[in-house]
Amino acid sequence: MQKKISWIIMLLTLQMGYAQFERLEQATNNQELISLFDQEVKMFATIVATFQNTSFPSSKKPTEPFTLNFNKEAYQQLVKNETELNPSFFTFIKEDKVAISLLKDPNIKTFNFKIDADMYPTKVIYFDGETEVVTDSTRFDRFDIFYPTQQKMVDKIEVAYHFNTPQKIDSLVIPLQKNKTITSPIGFVKVISDAPEAVTLQTDINPNVFINIQGADAADKRYAWGFKGQSNDTYQNQEKKLNKVIKSANRISKKAEKKMHLPFHDFKAYFFKQLKKTEKKLAKSNKQSDLNYITLAFGTTPLQNIIAYYPTEYYKANTTKTLNNSNFEFLITNNDNQYSVYDSETNLLLTLPKNYDPVQNYFYKNNRTYYYLDLMQKKLIPQNYSQVNELNNKLSLVWSDNDLLVVNETNTPILKANDYIQDTSFKTTVLFTDKNQYIACEQMEELTELTDIEITQYLNKGYYKAEKNGKIGVLDACGQIVIPFEYDNVIEFNEIANLFPSDLVFGVKQNDKWGYVNAKNEVVIPFEYDEANTSFSYGIAVVGLNNEDGSPTSSGLINLENKRLTPFQNSGYSASTSNGKRTYGLNYKQYDHLGNEVKQ
């Protein structure tokens, strides 16, 4: 049985060399330095051995021949949904340069949610009003960093979205014979290993071009792979390189033991010189090939062909969007657990001691003590606070001697509260006093006092249920009226389900019937339902209708066009959410987040 190699470990090894041994800097003597190094090498060898001893899956996975189900209307809706989202960015200092990194829209709960488009910054707008056109075509994704040319605070950036999805495909039929080579309009593919347990293909085609790869037996029955790996080398060579790294590390340790008599300063210099020398040698021997290798495990099923599908025609859509900066006034950057604070012109204001973590622009925490950053004195002043919460860039909520206080940027109390509701994702907080309610949000530096309005519930996603003169309305994160006070009730949004802009409709009750209205208070779903069970997500919601025979209300799925997607037969329904996508159980059937029936 072939052994499975971790491609991630290989990439880290080749890219980082021995840079991963940063703990060595903490050593204070010769023996400690060698001991720390040996610990790191042993841990690395254990991880490598674990993956080397993991077998490829042996069971076959039958599947249907791949077909591309491109739906232009559905894809256009995806483009609309994603371009209407509101990601933002934050600025920081990295390697003495202003850097920008993206933040996802808080309405999207999935941590690794990725816009289905390539994004490119096209214009930078600085706080002082100066603009800069970006001339290079650097791709910008959530995990990328973009560096503007000017070393000062950025207010906004314009980003181009390039959507690109296959709408027609073709396939390569690769006979599974060792050393068999086929050529095609997109490149060549050569079979290096023809064992179905671990088929290895060599190609000059980017592996990401293939949108699906299947195995086919003599009867053209199709099988899905149980494991897939791709790199610039075969897994056998990768195994050799991993072991070479471990052997080289052990040699460094043995050589260093012969130099134990040296003073620590000289010993450390010698040790790191050997590390650099070995790293350079390994990097030279690990030069990447121009070819790609794809390894696929199909179990023990005898195969005749490999079928690789690739696009021949794409549907494209381009648009632009302006993103806002989420941090103001200061740039706070972290270097090895040590924060530094810069002003908007990137002048260094203060470097904090290590392990002082920011809570808000003006407050930091070390162990259990909170500190106020006094910019006039350029120092941290300890505070007798048991907790500090950020309200916005100017205001903080602090607990002081059992009092709940709002303090401003000068650490001056401006309000004493009894209780609060806070959603840090949407940066909104409601504060309750004996007589009044106040809202703090990111967009407004001062507190907003609510008059003649009482907030009764947080609806999630940055909205509040409020009451006035016995009627229900909806307020936004800053206390502005979104839905006027003319309804009898409103349902909350699902906290963990993704909410695209088109889903932003409010389930409201009027005259004993439920319907849905948008943020302009326009009716989207008529007031014809007896229950509004859920908010919308991906254009789908659960509603209920009373049965004529008086039995419990029957539930069903509808879309934003009020089309009934399921029968209304049984009263019960279930809904669960994973990675922001809500699935449903209705009438003894399961439905996905788009309302499609899932075959059991």
Side-chain angles (χ1 to χ4, degrees), residues 93-250:
I93 303 293
K94 183 178 178 65
E95 298 174 353
D96 297 325
K97 294 189 294 185
V98 173
I100 291 174
S101 187
L102 286 178
L103 294 169
K104 69 178 180 65
D105 187 319
N107 284 298
I108 302 300
K109 296 301 292 185
T110 314
F111 173 75
N112 61 346
F113 179 82
K114 179 182 178 297
I115 296 292
D116 192 32
D118 290 331
M119 300 171 63
Y120 301 89
T122 57
K123 184 185 291 186
V124 177
I125 304 164
Y126 296 96
F127 261 97
D128 61 9
E130 183 180 355
T131 61
E132 169 195 337
V133 176
V134 180
T135 55
D136 62 12
S137 56
T138 303
R139 191 171 178 274
F140 191 28
D141 204 347
R142 187 178 166 205
F143 299 103
D144 296 328
I145 294 175
F146 168 64
Y147 295 95
T149 59
Q150 301 283 343
Q151 299 307 299
K152 54 187 177 181
M153 184 73 88
V154 176
D155 184 21
K156 303 176 187 294
I157 56 172
E158 286 187 5
V159 177
Y161 287 27
H162 294 175
F163 289 87
N164 193 11
T165 191
Q167 62 179 354
K168 290 184 180 179
I169 60 171
D170 201 347
S171 62
L172 299 179
V173 179
I174 308 160
L176 198 53
Q177 303 168 18
K178 190 173 182 179
N179 296 323
K180 179 72 174 180
T181 301
I182 67 159
T183 57
S184 73
I186 62 172
F188 83 87
V189 179
K190 181 179 179 180
V191 179
I192 301 298
S193 170
D194 58 0
E197 307 97 280
V199 174
T200 300
L201 307 175
Q202 181 193 68
T203 180
D204 61 348
I205 304 168
N206 184 337
N208 295 324
V209 167
F210 298 119
I211 57 178
N212 193 284
I213 302 179
Q214 297 179 338
D217 64 14
D220 200 32
K221 290 183 179 179
R222 299 300 179 88
Y223 299 91
W225 46 263
F227 167 81
K228 178 186 176 187
Q230 57 195 51
S231 72
N232 294 98
D233 210 343
T234 64
Y235 61 85
Q236 294 96 335
N237 285 340
Q238 289 186 348
E239 184 171 6
K240 291 177 183 177
K241 289 176 181 177
L242 287 167
N243 290 327
K244 186 176 180 180
V245 169
I246 296 168
K247 288 179 181 179
S248 298
N250 289 329

Side-chain angles (χ1 to χ4, degrees), residues 208-396:
N208 295 324
V209 167
F210 298 119
I211 57 178
N212 193 284
I213 302 179
Q214 297 179 338
D217 64 14
D220 200 32
K221 290 183 179 179
R222 299 300 179 88
Y223 299 91
W225 46 263
F227 167 81
K228 178 186 176 187
Q230 57 195 51
S231 72
N232 294 98
D233 210 343
T234 64
Y235 61 85
Q236 294 96 335
N237 285 340
Q238 289 186 348
E239 184 171 6
K240 291 177 183 177
K241 289 176 181 177
L242 287 167
N243 290 327
K244 186 176 180 180
V245 169
I246 296 168
K247 288 179 181 179
S248 298
N250 289 329
R251 279 197 296 270
I252 291 174
S253 186
K254 288 181 180 180
K255 285 183 179 180
E257 288 176 357
K258 297 178 182 179
K259 301 288 184 179
M260 291 288 284
H261 61 281
L262 294 174
F264 179 60
H265 180 271
D266 296 336
F267 179 80
K268 185 177 180 181
Y270 166 80
F271 193 90
F272 278 93
K273 183 177 180 181
Q274 294 301 311
L275 276 180
K276 285 290 183 184
K277 184 178 177 181
T278 305
E279 180 182 8
K280 197 172 182 181
K281 186 177 179 181
L282 285 171
K284 189 175 181 181
S285 64
N286 286 333
K287 284 187 176 178
Q288 300 295 302
S289 166
D290 291 332
L291 299 176
N292 300 293
Y293 293 83
I294 306 172
T295 298
L296 304 148
F298 291 96
T300 56
T301 304
L303 299 177
Q304 183 165 307
N305 296 309
I306 299 296
I307 317 296
Y309 297 89
Y310 64 93
T312 58
E313 188 176 312
Y314 290 87
Y315 177 81
K316 300 181 179 181
N318 299 327
T319 187
T320 59
K321 191 174 186 68
T322 300
L323 311 185
N324 294 314
N325 191 348
S326 68
N327 60 325
F328 307 94
E329 293 192 69
F330 303 141
L331 293 165
I332 300 175
T333 188
N334 179 16
N335 182 21
D336 192 23
N337 292 324
Q338 186 169 26
Y339 286 89
S340 296
V341 183
Y342 299 78
D343 66 15
S344 60
E345 297 298 322
T346 69
N347 299 310
L348 179 63
L349 300 175
L350 182 68
T351 296
L352 281 60
K354 275 197 171 187
N355 301 314
Y356 280 68
D357 298 321
V359 178
Q360 191 257 6
N361 279 342
Y362 296 93
F363 287 96
Y364 296 79
K365 184 180 182 182
N366 176 251
N367 293 324
R368 296 183 178 181
T369 303
Y370 289 92
Y371 295 82
Y372 170 68
L373 175 60
D374 190 321
L375 292 176
M376 297 294 291
Q377 301 183 57
K378 291 191 176 182
K379 68 176 184 179
L380 293 173
I381 302 174
Q383 303 296 307
N384 187 29
Y385 296 152
S386 59
Q387 185 176 332
V388 176
N389 286 7
E390 178 184 22
L391 296 182
N392 55 34
N393 290 297
K394 296 283 190 181
L395 305 177
S396 299

